[in-house]
Amino acid sequence: MSGPIEPLLAVKGLSSGYGPVTILREIDIEAAPGSVTALVGANGAGKTTLMKTIAGLIPAWTGEIRFDGQDITRAATHHRVDQGIVLVPEGRMVFALLSVEQNLRLGAIAPRARKNVSERLEDTFRRFPRLHERKGQLAGSMSGGEQQMLAIGRGLMAKPRIILLDEPTLGLAPIMVKQVFAVIEDLRKDGYTILLSEQNSRLALEIADYGYILENGRVQLSGPGPELVDMPDVRRLYLGR
Amino acid sequence: MSAQLLFAALVAGSLYALVALGLNLVYGTLRLLNIAHGDLVMIGAYVSFWMLSLFGLPPVLSIFVAAALCGGFGWVIYVGMFRKLLATPALAQRLEANSLILFYGVSVILQNCVALAFTSTARGYQYLNEVHKFAGIAASGNRLMLFGVALALCLGMLLFLRFHLFGWSLRAVIERRDAAAVVGVDVDRVQMVTICIGFAIAGVAGVLVSMTEQITPFMGFPFTIAAFVVIVLGGLGNIFAGIVAGFALGFIETFGVALTSATYRSILIYGLFVGVLLLRPQGLFGKAIKIR
Ligand SMILES: Nc1ncnc2c1ncn2[C@@H]1O[C@H](COP(=O)(O)OP(=O)(O)O)[C@@H](O)[C@H]1O
Ligand SMILES: [Mg+2]
């Protein structure tokens, strides 16, 4: 394909974990601008831990995280958000006691996102008409699929330069899973850079420009998404056939 | 007669709501059980007394002095003690229980420092004690001021939480600290500002109390207890329900005492506390009342 592109996000030799327990070991991943990068692997492989470490919710023990050439390994979470690294967390984490609109507006609290909030709110409502219908409602009163859309919408309000989508289809009905993937395709068309973690490995790799297969906190395999899907070993070991 | 009682209940209720508001904000955002909260009320009361005695500064202006002093104390406590502890998840988990003991220490130190400096002699002063008669009520000016200021601060805080972006981020931190960080809220700053606001509110409440009650170094404890009763009634960390519960306690106490006698006051308050904890630990209103 084309020559080497400067990655927007580059993780090198990263390890982290919880308390005394090491989860991630020597992780190297990159995300090219405008691409969809998939992180797949079984439950417990370390996808969420990696997302949290990139977002700064848990500290990196070793290695470095570079964003747009800058070292952000030690930056506070809200500073990373202000640089455009926006996590849409596993389990959605919407504010149940705030209204849909308040959730969205709060998504624009980072200084870089404070201007033109109302326009961006309109854009978000256009992308997710359902949120517009429910804007005055408490977020906690919505269905899981709607809350996922809200979590993504809230992330978009922050003017992300990269969106970290952590298991966005977790616990959703098959029809909602389809919708979430349709949203991801739309975001890619609009030029967003996406790091997507998924247990639906096949679906994720099929739409990914590049994919990483995680196992026990290590990267086992990586390559262009569709190529990974076609590899017999990958099919047998990770895709269940 | 009942109009008079109603007014008394409103005055007591507004004070309880205000004192509990400060405690609830600090508990909600920082998960700290500030058992020294009432002692900040005491500090506010002394500020008012000394400002009037030494400089002739009326309580209506001392409000700002007490707010600044207590708010500043909150800042010192946060930066000096809690910032590091809260930032470390492992320590933060134990902090909620340990904060009770830490603040008990702060409470004892504050009480004894004030007793050493000013002796434990009860103080008091006269301010706005002329009586106004209207609508079948006889109300002293200072009680009207107490009610007015306390109500304004409670309503102001509710409006702030309802309409201001910082208010939303405060509610976001109360609901889920990690999710607040995820959207880009500077959680450390929210916590620092909130402890300052919570402490400042207690100082202001102290100024208001000092207009109608005697001032001693040990006057704070009953306020701590009342504030805990109120936030347990309303549900810990639920700001709006806490304010409603403050008024509810004012009514229960005032009408309860009127129907029985003053000796039952403590029994009423503690009975309510224990009763609610046993029967409805999630608070009287549970999840029914939330600010939008
Ligand atoms: N808060 C935590 N404390 C301790 N261990 C955790 C915590 N969260 C996850 N783990 C462990 O880390 C490992 C990786 O989990 P996670 O990153 O959530 O995997 P995935 O997202 O791929 O399912 C699992 O073994 C899990 O038990
Ligand atoms: Mg996960």
Side-chain angles (χ1 to χ4, degrees), chain A residues 18 23 42-49 90 167:
Chain A
Y18 305 93
I23 304 291
N43 191 16
K47 303 181 294 296
T48 298
T49 306
E90 178 183 298
E167 301 192 47

Side-chain angles (χ1 to χ4, degrees), chain B residues 72-144:
Chain B
F73 183 59
W75 182 81
V76 169
I77 290 263
Y78 182 74
V79 173
M81 260 208 292
F82 291 117
R83 171 178 271 163
K84 272 259 145 44
L85 298 174
L86 282 162
T88 320
L91 291 174
Q93 275 182 2
R94 266 174 284 158
L95 193 59
E96 183 169 345
N98 290 348
S99 66
L100 204 65
I101 296 162
L102 273 169
F103 275 119
Y104 182 71
V106 171
S107 168
V108 170
I109 291 168
L110 282 179
Q111 289 179 10
N112 285 289
C113 285
V114 171
L116 276 177
F118 306 134
T119 75
S120 34
T121 316
R123 320 260 179 176
Y125 60 84
Q126 305 286 315
Y127 178 68
L128 293 184
N129 48 0
E130 74 294 343
V131 173
H132 304 267
K133 290 208 165 82
F134 57 91
I137 307 171
S140 61
N142 47 33
R143 287 200 162 72
L144 286 170

Side-chain angles (χ1 to χ4, degrees), chain A residues 57 77-78 81 87 89 93-98 102 105-107 109-110 114 136-138 154, chain B residues 161-162 165 168-169 171-173 175-176 178-187 290-292:
Chain A
L57 290 173
T77 301
H78 66 276
V81 176
L87 174 65
M93 290 196 193
V94 298
F95 299 106
L97 304 179
L98 296 184
Q102 286 169 342
R105 286 186 178 271
L106 198 54
I109 197 168
R114 293 263 178 106
Q137 202 170 313
L138 290 188
R154 187 181 66 182
Chain B
L161 291 174
R162 173 87 167 80
L165 187 64
W168 300 346
S169 58
R171 286 162 63 193
V173 172
E175 194 181 318
R176 268 198 98 150
D178 52 351
V182 161
V183 300
V185 171
D186 183 347
V187 176
K290 298 287 185 198
I291 14 165
R292 282 282 185 112

Side-chain angles (χ1 to χ4, degrees), chain B:
Chain B
M1 184 210 81
S2 72
Q4 188 67 38
L5 217 49
L6 190 71
F7 177 69
L10 282 173
V11 171
S14 65
L15 182 63
Y16 287 145
L18 186 66
V19 175
L21 173 62
L23 185 69
N24 215 2
L25 284 170
V26 170
Y27 178 76
T29 44
L30 295 107
R31 304 283 145 169
L32 296 176
L33 292 164
N34 181 7
I35 202 99
H37 193 67
D39 299 298
L40 300 164
V41 175
M42 177 269 290
I43 299 286
Y46 271 96
V47 165
S48 188
F49 173 77
W50 287 114
M51 283 296 141
L52 188 64
S53 321
L54 295 179
F55 310 114
L57 194 72
V60 69
L61 296 178
S62 294
I63 282 176
F64 298 98
V65 181
L69 191 76
C70 290
F73 183 59
W75 182 81
V76 169
I77 290 263
Y78 182 74
V79 173
M81 260 208 292
F82 291 117
R83 171 178 271 163
K84 272 259 145 44
L85 298 174
L86 282 162
T88 320
L91 291 174
Q93 275 182 2
R94 266 174 284 158
L95 193 59
E96 183 169 345
N98 290 348
S99 66
L100 204 65
I101 296 162
L102 273 169
F103 275 119
Y104 182 71
V106 171
S107 168
V108 170
I109 291 168
L110 282 179
Q111 289 179 10
N112 285 289
C113 285
V114 171
L116 276 177
F118 306 134
T119 75
S120 34
T121 316
R123 320 260 179 176
Y125 60 84
Q126 305 286 315
Y127 178 68
L128 293 184
N129 48 0
E130 74 294 343
V131 173
H132 304 267
K133 290 208 165 82
F134 57 91
I137 307 171
S140 61
N142 47 33
R143 287 200 162 72
L144 286 170
M145 176 175 146
L146 189 167
F147 178 65
V149 172
L151 188 69
L153 282 175
C154 289
L155 291 180
M157 181 52 69
L158 287 181
L159 290 175
F160 177 70
L161 291 174
R162 173 87 167 80
F163 292 109
H164 197 277
L165 187 64
F166 189 87
W168 300 346
S169 58
L170 206 161
R171 286 162 63 193
V173 172
I174 289 178
E175 194 181 318
R176 268 198 98 150
R177 192 190 306 207
D178 52 351
V182 161
V183 300
V185 171
D186 183 347
V187 176
D188 176 64
R189 185 166 148 266
V190 169
Q191 288 174 336
M192 187 178 77
V193 172
T194 305
I195 202 169
C196 292
I197 293 176
F199 278 36
I201 287 176
V204 172
V207 173
L208 299 176
V209 168
S210 70
M211 299 188 301
T212 64
E213 282 182 31
Q214 288 208 321
I215 305 159
T216 77
F218 309 106
M219 67 186 284
F221 189 64
F223 287 103
T224 302
I225 292 301
F228 270 99
V229 172
V230 166
I231 68 175
V232 164
L233 278 180
L236 288 171
N238 189 337
I239 305 300
F240 177 55
I243 288 174
V244 175
F247 279 93
L249 183 65
F251 274 78
I252 293 167
E253 184 197 81
T254 307
F255 283 91
V257 166
L259 291 174
T260 56
S261 80
T263 44
Y264 284 90
R265 187 179 169 276
S266 297
I267 298 178
L268 267 171
I269 292 186
Y270 284 92
L272 197 63
F273 187 55
V274 174
V276 169
L277 275 180
L278 284 178
L279 300 175
R280 276 191 73 87
Q282 73 274 40
L284 275 187
F285 313 109
K287 300 223 175 289
I289 300 184
K290 298 287 185 198
I291 14 165
R292 282 282 185 112

